[in-house]
Structure formats: C-alpha cells, structure tokens
Amino acid sequence: MSPDDIVDIFRRVLETDSVSADSDFFELGGDSLLGTRVLSAVARAHGVELTFDDIVDAPTPSALADRLASVTR
C-alpha cells in the first residue's frame, strides 16, 4: 500500500481534501474512533491488522505506509 492509498483513506475518514503524505492524522482532527476506521480500511485493503499504537507512532500516510511495509516483509 502506497502513501497515496493511505492519503485517500485519511481523506475519506476525515472528510477533507486537505491531506498530503506528510499530514498528521491527529493534527487534522483525527481521534481514536476515526483512527480505528483508518485501521479497518487499511486491513480491508491490504489484509494486515495494524494496532492503534501504530497510527499513534506513525500518524502520517508516509509513516503508516512504511509501518505497513515493515509488517508485511
């Protein structure tokens, strides 16, 4: 999954187009409930379950894509 794929997920979940690969999920108004929606969308699209700690530690699309890549290697 590329950062652009995660940007699209962030945009859908946060209902904003103001998302780039370096946008911080929480600075854009994300919270724990919306975070679980992001993680569910990632799991559906890629078949990998990430934890809420993953989005806390990697809150940008780029960082989350890197985290996902490291888990799937």
Side-chain angles (χ1 to χ4, degrees):
M1 178 171 274
S2 75
D4 288 339
D5 296 328
I6 297 176
V7 165
D8 290 339
I9 292 170
F10 276 27
R11 286 178 177 163
R12 280 196 315 271
V13 169
L14 295 169
E15 298 179 353
T16 183
D17 290 331
S18 300
V19 180
S20 70
D22 296 320
S23 297
D24 185 291
F25 176 77
F26 298 102
E27 290 177 6
L28 292 171
D31 58 24
S32 60
L33 293 176
L34 294 173
T36 59
R37 289 182 57 199
V38 167
L39 296 173
S40 293
V42 168
R44 280 192 307 276
H46 205 274
V48 175
E49 298 278 336
L50 296 175
T51 67
F52 187 72
D53 287 342
D54 289 317
I55 199 168
V56 169
D57 294 338
T60 67
S62 288
L64 200 55
D66 290 343
R67 178 72 52 107
L68 185 61
S70 72
V71 171
T72 59
R73 285 186 193 138

